[in-house]
Protein backbone atom coordinates (compact mmCIF):
# COMPACT_ATOMS: atom_id res chain seq x y z
CA UNK A 1 0.00 0.00 0.00
CA UNK A 2 1.62 3.23 -1.17
CA UNK A 3 1.35 6.60 0.42
CA UNK A 4 -1.21 8.77 -1.31
CA UNK A 5 -1.85 12.45 -0.80
CA UNK A 6 -5.09 11.64 1.04
CA UNK A 7 -3.22 9.39 3.48
CA UNK A 8 -0.57 12.03 4.15
CA UNK A 9 -3.24 14.71 4.71
CA UNK A 10 -5.19 12.39 7.01
CA UNK A 11 -2.13 11.64 9.14
CA UNK A 12 -1.21 15.33 9.24
CA UNK A 13 -4.73 16.24 10.39
CA UNK A 14 -4.72 13.40 12.95
CA UNK A 15 -1.41 14.54 14.47
CA UNK A 16 -2.61 18.17 14.38
CA UNK A 17 -5.85 17.30 16.18
CA UNK A 18 -4.03 15.22 18.80
CA UNK A 19 -1.45 17.96 19.45
CA UNK A 20 -4.08 20.69 19.71
CA UNK A 21 -6.24 18.49 21.98
CA UNK A 22 -3.32 17.97 24.34
CA UNK A 23 -2.55 21.69 24.32
CA UNK A 24 -6.24 22.45 25.00
CA UNK A 25 -6.26 20.54 28.26
CA UNK A 26 -2.71 21.25 29.42
CA UNK A 27 -2.38 25.00 28.94
CA UNK A 28 -2.88 27.21 31.96
CA UNK A 29 -4.31 30.19 30.07
CA UNK A 30 -8.04 29.86 29.45
CA UNK A 31 -8.17 31.97 26.27
CA UNK A 32 -5.33 29.93 24.76
CA UNK A 33 -7.26 26.79 25.63
CA UNK A 34 -10.27 28.12 23.71
CA UNK A 35 -8.03 28.92 20.74
CA UNK A 36 -6.56 25.41 20.73
CA UNK A 37 -10.10 24.01 20.90
CA UNK A 38 -10.96 26.09 17.83
CA UNK A 39 -8.00 24.49 16.00
CA UNK A 40 -9.23 21.01 17.02
CA UNK A 41 -12.66 21.76 15.58
CA UNK A 42 -11.13 23.07 12.33
CA UNK A 43 -9.01 19.91 12.07
CA UNK A 44 -12.11 17.76 12.55
CA UNK A 45 -13.83 19.70 9.78
CA UNK A 46 -10.78 19.04 7.61
CA UNK A 47 -11.22 15.29 8.12
CA UNK A 48 -14.88 15.59 7.15
CA UNK A 49 -13.91 17.43 3.97
CA UNK A 50 -11.24 14.81 3.25
CA UNK A 51 -13.85 12.05 3.52
CA UNK A 52 -16.11 13.88 1.08
CA UNK A 53 -18.72 14.95 3.63
CA UNK A 54 -18.89 18.58 2.57
CA UNK A 55 -22.16 19.33 4.33
CA UNK A 56 -20.95 17.85 7.62
CA UNK A 57 -17.65 19.75 7.35
CA UNK A 58 -19.51 23.00 6.71
CA UNK A 59 -21.80 22.39 9.68
CA UNK A 60 -18.75 21.60 11.83
CA UNK A 61 -17.21 24.96 10.96
CA UNK A 62 -20.40 27.02 11.21
CA UNK A 63 -21.93 25.49 14.33
CA UNK A 64 -19.03 24.35 16.46
CA UNK A 65 -16.07 26.43 15.36
CA UNK A 66 -18.19 29.47 14.65
CA UNK A 67 -20.90 29.45 17.27
CA UNK A 68 -19.88 27.47 20.32
CA UNK A 69 -16.27 28.65 20.47
CA UNK A 70 -17.36 32.28 20.07
CA UNK A 71 -19.86 31.75 22.89
CA UNK A 72 -17.12 30.11 24.94
CA UNK A 73 -14.65 32.94 24.38
CA UNK A 74 -17.26 35.60 25.18
CA UNK A 75 -18.24 33.81 28.38
CA UNK A 76 -14.58 33.61 29.37
CA UNK A 77 -14.03 37.27 28.65
CA UNK A 78 -17.19 38.22 30.56
CA UNK A 79 -16.43 36.17 33.64
CA UNK A 80 -12.66 36.30 34.06
CA UNK A 81 -9.83 38.78 34.08
CA UNK A 82 -7.23 39.04 31.36
CA UNK A 83 -4.48 37.32 33.31
CA UNK A 84 -6.53 34.46 34.76
CA UNK A 85 -4.69 31.20 34.90
CA UNK A 86 -5.94 27.74 35.70
CA UNK A 87 -5.29 26.59 39.24
CA UNK A 88 -2.52 24.05 39.77
CA UNK A 89 -3.74 20.52 40.30
CA UNK A 90 -3.09 18.69 43.52
CA UNK A 91 -0.95 15.60 43.21
CA UNK A 92 -3.88 13.27 44.00
CA UNK A 93 -6.08 14.79 41.29
CA UNK A 94 -3.23 14.60 38.79
CA UNK A 95 -2.64 10.92 39.58
CA UNK A 96 -6.37 10.17 39.35
CA UNK A 97 -6.50 11.85 35.94
CA UNK A 98 -3.40 9.99 34.79
CA UNK A 99 -4.81 6.61 35.89
CA UNK A 100 -8.12 7.39 34.17
CA UNK A 101 -6.30 8.37 30.98
CA UNK A 102 -4.25 5.17 30.99
CA UNK A 103 -7.35 3.03 31.58
CA UNK A 104 -9.18 4.86 28.78
CA UNK A 105 -6.25 4.38 26.39
CA UNK A 106 -6.07 0.66 27.22
CA UNK A 107 -9.82 0.34 26.65
CA UNK A 108 -9.63 2.14 23.29
CA UNK A 109 -6.66 0.02 22.18
CA UNK A 110 -8.42 -3.18 23.25
CA UNK A 111 -11.60 -2.32 21.35
CA UNK A 112 -9.66 -1.18 18.29
CA UNK A 113 -7.43 -4.26 18.16
CA UNK A 114 -10.20 -6.82 18.79
CA UNK A 115 -12.77 -5.34 16.40
CA UNK A 116 -13.13 -7.00 13.02
CA UNK A 117 -13.20 -4.11 10.55
CA UNK A 118 -15.20 -5.03 7.46
CA UNK A 119 -14.36 -3.11 4.28
CA UNK A 120 -17.32 -1.40 2.69
CA UNK A 121 -18.37 -2.44 -0.78
CA UNK A 122 -19.25 1.10 -1.91
CA UNK A 123 -16.65 3.62 -0.66
CA UNK A 124 -18.06 6.45 -2.80
CA UNK A 125 -19.83 9.15 -0.77
CA UNK A 126 -23.54 9.51 -1.41
CA UNK A 127 -24.80 13.04 -2.00
CA UNK A 128 -28.12 13.80 -0.35
CA UNK A 129 -30.15 16.77 -1.49
CA UNK A 130 -30.50 19.81 0.72
CA UNK A 131 -34.28 19.35 0.66
CA UNK A 132 -33.94 15.89 2.25
CA UNK A 133 -31.56 17.23 4.91
CA UNK A 134 -33.92 20.15 5.62
CA UNK A 135 -36.90 17.83 6.07
CA UNK A 136 -34.86 15.62 8.41
CA UNK A 137 -33.71 18.60 10.47
CA UNK A 138 -37.17 20.11 10.82
CA UNK A 139 -39.19 16.94 11.29
CA UNK A 140 -40.46 15.90 14.68
CA UNK A 141 -40.68 12.20 13.78
CA UNK A 142 -38.50 9.32 14.89
CA UNK A 143 -35.31 10.56 13.20
CA UNK A 144 -36.08 14.28 13.41
CA UNK A 145 -33.85 16.87 15.03
CA UNK A 146 -36.32 19.48 16.26
CA UNK A 147 -36.36 18.31 19.90
CA UNK A 148 -32.54 17.99 20.29
CA UNK A 149 -32.11 21.36 18.56
CA UNK A 150 -34.53 23.02 20.98
CA UNK A 151 -32.89 21.33 23.98
CA UNK A 152 -29.44 22.57 22.92
CA UNK A 153 -30.76 26.08 22.29
CA UNK A 154 -32.27 26.20 25.80
CA UNK A 155 -28.99 24.92 27.25
CA UNK A 156 -26.99 27.59 25.41
CA UNK A 157 -29.45 30.27 26.51
CA UNK A 158 -29.05 29.12 30.13
CA UNK A 159 -25.25 29.28 29.73
CA UNK A 160 -25.44 32.84 28.40
CA UNK A 161 -27.75 33.97 31.21
CA UNK A 162 -25.55 32.22 33.81
CA UNK A 163 -22.42 33.85 32.40
CA UNK A 164 -24.05 37.26 32.48
CA UNK A 165 -25.20 36.76 36.07
CA UNK A 166 -21.71 35.70 37.16
CA UNK A 167 -20.14 38.66 35.36
CA UNK A 168 -22.69 41.03 36.83
CA UNK A 169 -21.95 39.97 40.42
CA UNK A 170 -18.36 41.18 40.09
Amino acid sequence: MGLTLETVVFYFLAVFIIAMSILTVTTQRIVRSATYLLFVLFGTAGIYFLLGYTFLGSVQIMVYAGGIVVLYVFSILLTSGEGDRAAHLKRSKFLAGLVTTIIGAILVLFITLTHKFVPTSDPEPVEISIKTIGHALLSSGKYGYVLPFEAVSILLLACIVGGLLIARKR
Side-chain angles (χ1 to χ4, degrees):
M1 182 177 150
L3 273 175
T4 63
L5 181 62
E6 287 182 351
T7 308
V8 171
V9 170
F10 174 77
Y11 282 126
F12 173 77
L13 286 172
V15 169
F16 178 76
I17 290 171
I18 291 170
M20 290 298 127
S21 298
I22 291 171
L23 287 173
T24 298
V25 297
T26 57
T27 187
Q28 292 186 359
R29 302 244 183 223
I30 296 174
V31 176
R32 286 184 187 169
S33 178
T35 306
Y36 295 141
L37 177 64
L38 178 68
F39 291 148
V40 168
L41 296 173
F42 276 133
T44 306
I47 288 183
Y48 288 144
F49 285 125
L50 184 67
L51 292 173
Y53 297 126
T54 56
F55 179 75
L56 198 55
S58 302
V59 168
Q60 174 78 16
I61 289 174
M62 287 188 302
V63 174
Y64 291 109
I68 294 176
V69 171
V70 168
L71 176 70
Y72 182 51
V73 169
F74 277 127
S75 64
I76 288 171
L77 295 177
L78 282 173
T79 60
S80 64
E82 188 176 317
D84 278 357
R85 301 180 119 207
H88 287 286
L89 288 177
K90 293 181 182 176
R91 187 175 186 93
S92 61
K93 286 186 178 182
F94 176 76
L95 290 175
L98 185 64
V99 168
T100 305
T101 303
I102 291 171
I103 290 172
I106 290 171
L107 184 64
V108 166
L109 281 173
F110 173 74
I111 291 171
T112 304
L113 294 175
T114 58
H115 187 271
K116 304 276 190 271
F117 290 100
V118 180
T120 59
S121 61
D122 187 20
E124 292 295 319
V126 178
E127 286 290 328
I128 299 174
S129 69
I130 298 296
K131 184 177 182 180
T132 307
I133 293 171
H135 283 295
L137 288 175
L138 296 176
S139 71
S140 59
K142 184 176 181 181
Y143 297 109
Y145 290 97
V146 170
L147 184 62
F149 178 77
E150 291 299 325
V152 167
S153 65
I154 290 172
L155 175 69
L156 290 175
L157 179 64
C159 290
I160 291 171
V161 170
L164 289 173
L165 286 175
I166 291 172
R168 195 170 157 198
K169 285 182 181 178
R170 289 185 181 179

